[in-house]
Amino acid sequence: MEVEPGRAPAAAIRWHGRLELEATALTLTESQVALAARADLCAGGRDALQTLEQLLRRVRPTLPPRVR
């Protein structure tokens, strides 16, 4: 999914917020790594993709149940 360069930082913050809410087990260090990887992607880097894929496989984010 391509995002306009000017909108990438805001999209990265939203993505990270969802990760924090939906991850079943996420350490502080993993959270920092994920945020740094997203920042790298926003800057045009592509090396962080593998890091994010590995992290997502480990923490298994899921949608929380809806509160009614």
Side-chain angles (χ1 to χ4, degrees), residues 53-64:
E53 288 172 352
Q54 290 172 348
L55 179 68
L56 291 173
R57 276 194 296 274
R58 195 193 93 53
V59 301
R60 297 189 152 157
T62 59
L63 290 173

Side-chain angles (χ1 to χ4, degrees), residues 12 20 34 61:
E20 291 285 341

Side-chain angles (χ1 to χ4, degrees), residues 1-66:
M1 177 169 131
E2 293 294 321
V3 176
E4 294 176 34
R7 298 180 67 184
I13 293 293
R14 285 191 304 277
W15 180 90
H16 189 76
R18 287 193 65 182
L19 176 66
E20 291 285 341
L21 292 172
E22 297 173 13
T24 57
L26 185 68
T27 67
L28 179 60
T29 300
E30 289 168 334
S31 178
Q32 291 171 326
V33 167
L35 197 54
R38 292 299 303 196
D40 182 56
L41 290 174
C42 287
R46 291 289 176 228
D47 295 335
L49 283 175
Q50 184 177 7
T51 300
L52 286 172
E53 288 172 352
Q54 290 172 348
L55 179 68
L56 291 173
R57 276 194 296 274
R58 195 193 93 53
V59 301
R60 297 189 152 157
T62 59
L63 290 173
R66 289 187 175 241

